[in-house]
Amino acid sequence: MGRVRLWELFSIFFRIGMFSFGGGLSAWIYREIVELRGWLTEQEFLSGMALSQILPGANVSNLSVYIGQRLRGVSGAVVALLALLTAPFLAVIGLLAVYDRISAIPWAAAAMDGVAAAAIGLLLRMAIRAGRQASTTLSGAVALAATFIGVGVLRWPLIPVVLCVAPLSVAAAWPRAPKNA
Protein backbone atom coordinates (compact mmCIF):
# COMPACT_ATOMS: atom_id res chain seq x y z
CA MET A 1 0.00 0.00 0.00
CA GLY A 2 1.31 3.41 -0.96
CA ARG A 3 0.97 6.61 0.96
CA VAL A 4 -2.65 7.66 1.50
CA ARG A 5 -3.47 10.87 -0.36
CA LEU A 6 -5.01 13.72 1.62
CA TRP A 7 -7.86 13.91 -0.88
CA GLU A 8 -8.72 10.23 -0.26
CA LEU A 9 -8.68 10.82 3.48
CA PHE A 10 -10.86 13.91 3.09
CA SER A 11 -13.40 12.22 0.83
CA ILE A 12 -13.87 9.22 3.12
CA PHE A 13 -14.29 11.26 6.30
CA PHE A 14 -16.49 13.81 4.54
CA ARG A 15 -18.77 11.04 3.27
CA ILE A 16 -18.90 9.43 6.71
CA GLY A 17 -19.70 12.77 8.32
CA MET A 18 -22.35 13.54 5.73
CA PHE A 19 -24.24 10.24 5.70
CA SER A 20 -24.15 8.96 9.28
CA PHE A 21 -24.34 10.09 12.85
CA GLY A 22 -24.29 8.78 16.41
CA GLY A 23 -22.75 5.48 17.46
CA GLY A 24 -22.64 4.11 13.94
CA LEU A 25 -19.79 6.41 12.96
CA SER A 26 -17.04 4.37 14.60
CA ALA A 27 -18.27 1.19 12.98
CA TRP A 28 -18.43 2.85 9.58
CA ILE A 29 -14.94 4.28 10.03
CA TYR A 30 -13.71 0.80 11.00
CA ARG A 31 -15.28 -0.68 7.87
CA GLU A 32 -13.82 1.98 5.56
CA ILE A 33 -10.33 2.20 7.06
CA VAL A 34 -9.64 -1.40 8.17
CA GLU A 35 -11.87 -3.73 6.17
CA LEU A 36 -12.20 -2.02 2.78
CA ARG A 37 -8.90 -0.17 2.43
CA GLY A 38 -6.53 -1.89 4.87
CA TRP A 39 -4.97 1.43 5.84
CA LEU A 40 -4.78 0.33 9.48
CA THR A 41 -4.78 -3.10 11.09
CA GLU A 42 -7.59 -4.09 13.40
CA GLN A 43 -5.22 -3.77 16.36
CA GLU A 44 -4.15 -0.25 15.32
CA PHE A 45 -7.77 0.79 14.91
CA LEU A 46 -8.83 -0.64 18.28
CA SER A 47 -5.87 1.07 19.97
CA GLY A 48 -7.00 4.35 18.43
CA MET A 49 -10.57 3.66 19.47
CA ALA A 50 -9.48 3.05 23.07
CA LEU A 51 -7.38 6.21 23.05
CA SER A 52 -10.22 8.26 21.56
CA GLN A 53 -12.55 7.12 24.33
CA ILE A 54 -10.28 8.17 27.19
CA LEU A 55 -9.42 11.58 25.76
CA PRO A 56 -11.79 14.50 26.34
CA GLY A 57 -14.06 15.40 23.44
CA ALA A 58 -16.20 13.48 21.01
CA ASN A 59 -14.89 9.94 20.50
CA VAL A 60 -15.35 9.93 16.74
CA SER A 61 -13.56 13.29 16.38
CA ASN A 62 -10.66 11.97 18.43
CA LEU A 63 -10.66 8.79 16.33
CA SER A 64 -10.53 10.76 13.08
CA VAL A 65 -7.58 12.77 14.39
CA TYR A 66 -5.81 9.55 15.42
CA ILE A 67 -6.37 7.91 12.02
CA GLY A 68 -5.40 11.02 10.07
CA GLN A 69 -2.23 11.40 12.13
CA ARG A 70 -1.29 7.72 11.71
CA LEU A 71 -1.75 7.93 7.95
CA ARG A 72 -0.42 11.42 7.09
CA GLY A 73 0.85 13.17 10.23
CA VAL A 74 -0.47 16.54 11.37
CA SER A 75 -1.91 17.43 7.96
CA GLY A 76 -3.79 14.12 7.87
CA ALA A 77 -5.21 14.74 11.34
CA VAL A 78 -6.44 18.21 10.36
CA VAL A 79 -7.90 17.01 7.05
CA ALA A 80 -9.71 14.03 8.62
CA LEU A 81 -11.24 16.13 11.40
CA LEU A 82 -12.32 18.98 9.11
CA ALA A 83 -13.78 16.55 6.60
CA LEU A 84 -15.73 14.73 9.31
CA LEU A 85 -17.18 17.94 10.75
CA THR A 86 -17.86 20.00 7.60
CA ALA A 87 -20.98 18.22 6.32
CA PRO A 88 -22.73 17.96 9.73
CA PHE A 89 -22.00 21.61 10.42
CA LEU A 90 -23.57 22.67 7.13
CA ALA A 91 -26.48 20.25 7.60
CA VAL A 92 -27.29 21.59 11.07
CA ILE A 93 -27.28 25.15 9.80
CA GLY A 94 -29.56 24.14 6.91
CA LEU A 95 -31.91 22.04 9.06
CA LEU A 96 -32.24 24.82 11.59
CA ALA A 97 -33.75 26.95 8.86
CA VAL A 98 -36.43 24.36 8.02
CA TYR A 99 -36.93 22.67 11.42
CA ASP A 100 -40.51 23.80 11.95
CA ARG A 101 -41.62 22.37 8.61
CA ILE A 102 -39.77 19.05 9.02
CA SER A 103 -40.97 18.37 12.57
CA ALA A 104 -44.60 18.39 11.37
CA ILE A 105 -44.05 15.56 8.83
CA PRO A 106 -45.18 12.22 10.34
CA TRP A 107 -42.78 9.98 8.39
CA ALA A 108 -39.74 12.02 9.51
CA ALA A 109 -39.86 10.48 13.01
CA ALA A 110 -40.19 6.98 11.56
CA ALA A 111 -37.22 7.60 9.26
CA MET A 112 -35.10 8.76 12.20
CA ASP A 113 -36.07 5.61 14.15
CA GLY A 114 -34.86 3.49 11.24
CA VAL A 115 -31.56 5.35 11.03
CA ALA A 116 -31.08 4.95 14.80
CA ALA A 117 -31.72 1.18 14.54
CA ALA A 118 -29.11 0.87 11.78
CA ALA A 119 -26.57 2.82 13.86
CA ILE A 120 -27.19 0.53 16.83
CA GLY A 121 -26.63 -2.53 14.64
CA LEU A 122 -23.33 -1.18 13.35
CA LEU A 123 -22.24 -0.30 16.88
CA LEU A 124 -23.09 -3.80 18.15
CA ARG A 125 -21.08 -5.35 15.32
CA MET A 126 -18.03 -3.31 16.22
CA ALA A 127 -18.51 -3.98 19.97
CA ILE A 128 -18.54 -7.73 19.35
CA ARG A 129 -15.32 -7.52 17.34
CA ALA A 130 -13.67 -5.34 19.98
CA GLY A 131 -14.85 -7.70 22.72
CA ARG A 132 -13.34 -10.69 20.93
CA GLN A 133 -10.05 -8.83 20.54
CA ALA A 134 -10.00 -7.69 24.18
CA SER A 135 -10.83 -11.12 25.58
CA THR A 136 -8.00 -13.07 23.98
CA THR A 137 -6.35 -13.33 27.42
CA LEU A 138 -7.87 -14.23 30.76
CA SER A 139 -7.07 -10.80 32.24
CA GLY A 140 -8.70 -9.05 29.27
CA ALA A 141 -11.80 -11.23 29.52
CA VAL A 142 -12.11 -10.60 33.27
CA ALA A 143 -11.71 -6.81 32.81
CA LEU A 144 -14.28 -6.83 30.00
CA ALA A 145 -16.74 -8.88 32.06
CA ALA A 146 -16.23 -6.74 35.18
CA THR A 147 -16.82 -3.54 33.23
CA PHE A 148 -19.90 -4.96 31.51
CA ILE A 149 -21.39 -6.19 34.79
CA GLY A 150 -20.61 -2.96 36.64
CA VAL A 151 -21.94 -0.59 34.00
CA GLY A 152 -24.40 -2.68 31.98
CA VAL A 153 -25.98 -4.87 34.65
CA LEU A 154 -25.54 -3.04 37.95
CA ARG A 155 -25.88 0.42 36.32
CA TRP A 156 -22.91 1.88 38.19
CA PRO A 157 -21.37 5.06 36.70
CA LEU A 158 -18.74 4.36 34.04
CA ILE A 159 -15.94 6.51 35.43
CA PRO A 160 -15.73 4.87 38.89
CA VAL A 161 -15.96 1.41 37.31
CA VAL A 162 -13.14 2.19 34.88
CA LEU A 163 -11.05 3.78 37.66
CA CYS A 164 -11.36 0.52 39.63
CA VAL A 165 -11.01 -1.97 36.77
CA ALA A 166 -8.24 -0.23 34.78
CA PRO A 167 -5.44 -0.47 37.38
CA LEU A 168 -6.28 -4.13 38.04
CA SER A 169 -6.34 -4.83 34.31
CA VAL A 170 -3.00 -3.11 33.74
CA ALA A 171 -1.45 -4.97 36.69
CA ALA A 172 -2.72 -8.30 35.35
CA ALA A 173 -1.40 -7.61 31.85
CA TRP A 174 1.91 -6.04 32.88
CA PRO A 175 4.82 -8.06 31.53
CA ARG A 176 6.66 -9.81 34.30
CA ALA A 177 10.37 -10.54 34.30
CA PRO A 178 11.37 -14.20 34.51
CA LYS A 179 12.06 -15.34 38.09
CA ASN A 180 15.58 -16.54 37.28
CA ALA A 181 16.64 -13.31 35.56
Side-chain angles (χ1 to χ4, degrees), residues 81-95:
L81 181 62
L82 286 177
L84 183 73
L85 298 178
T86 299
F89 173 77
L90 296 174
V92 167
I93 299 299
L95 287 174

Side-chain angles (χ1 to χ4, degrees), residues 14-15 36 42 77 98 100 107 120 143 163 175:
F14 183 81
R15 190 167 21 106
L36 296 179
E42 183 171 316
V98 295
D100 290 331
W107 58 264
I120 290 169
L163 289 176

Side-chain angles (χ1 to χ4, degrees), residues 1 4 9 12-13 15-16 25-50 63 66-68 70-71 125-126 129-130 133:
M1 176 188 79
V4 175
L9 198 58
I12 288 169
F13 278 97
R15 190 167 21 106
I16 290 169
L25 280 172
S26 337
W28 192 354
I29 293 171
Y30 174 86
R31 183 173 176 268
E32 291 286 337
I33 301 299
V34 177
E35 291 180 351
L36 296 179
R37 288 171 181 75
W39 289 348
L40 295 179
T41 66
E42 183 171 316
Q43 185 61 41
E44 289 172 322
F45 180 87
L46 292 176
S47 294
M49 187 71 183
L63 182 60
Y66 169 83
I67 292 170
R70 293 281 301 187
L71 297 175
R125 179 177 178 231
M126 191 185 73
R129 284 180 161 249
Q133 182 73 24

